[in-house]
Amino acid sequence: MTTVLTPASPLTAADRCDRCGAQAYLRVVLASGGELLFCAHHGRKFEPELKKIAVEIQDETGRLTATTSATASPEER
């Protein structure tokens, strides 16, 4: 069986964790065709089990620690 995945769109503030309702930073695409969204906390908590059932994991948790010169002054970094 061949699965063709289309590129996932970036997660937005409107995407919420299926476990707690916080902002989602992980999208887990399942072999069944469904998807689950998780906040960084629950993504880390369930990561070992998710890796067993996921076809693809879109991880945007790096956005939590990333800063850019446009948003942070040198004193804030």
Side-chain angles (χ1 to χ4, degrees):
M1 180 171 134
T2 303
T3 304
V4 177
L5 298 174
T6 57
S9 58
L11 294 167
T12 69
D15 294 309
R16 310 312 284 179
C17 176
D18 290 327
R19 184 75 174 145
C20 70
Q23 184 173 348
Y25 288 94
L26 282 100
R27 174 182 284 127
V28 180
V29 179
L30 305 173
S32 64
E35 72 176 23
L36 298 170
L37 300 175
F38 290 101
C39 63
H41 165 78
H42 285 111
R44 282 189 302 272
K45 181 176 179 179
F46 299 123
E47 181 180 17
E49 295 303 315
L50 291 172
K51 285 184 174 181
K52 294 177 186 176
I53 62 170
V55 173
E56 178 183 359
I57 298 177
Q58 177 183 349
D59 185 345
E60 297 185 9
T61 56
R63 293 180 16 211
L64 292 168
T65 57
T67 60
T68 64
S69 60
T71 59
S73 69
E75 297 81 27
E76 294 175 312
R77 289 188 225 147

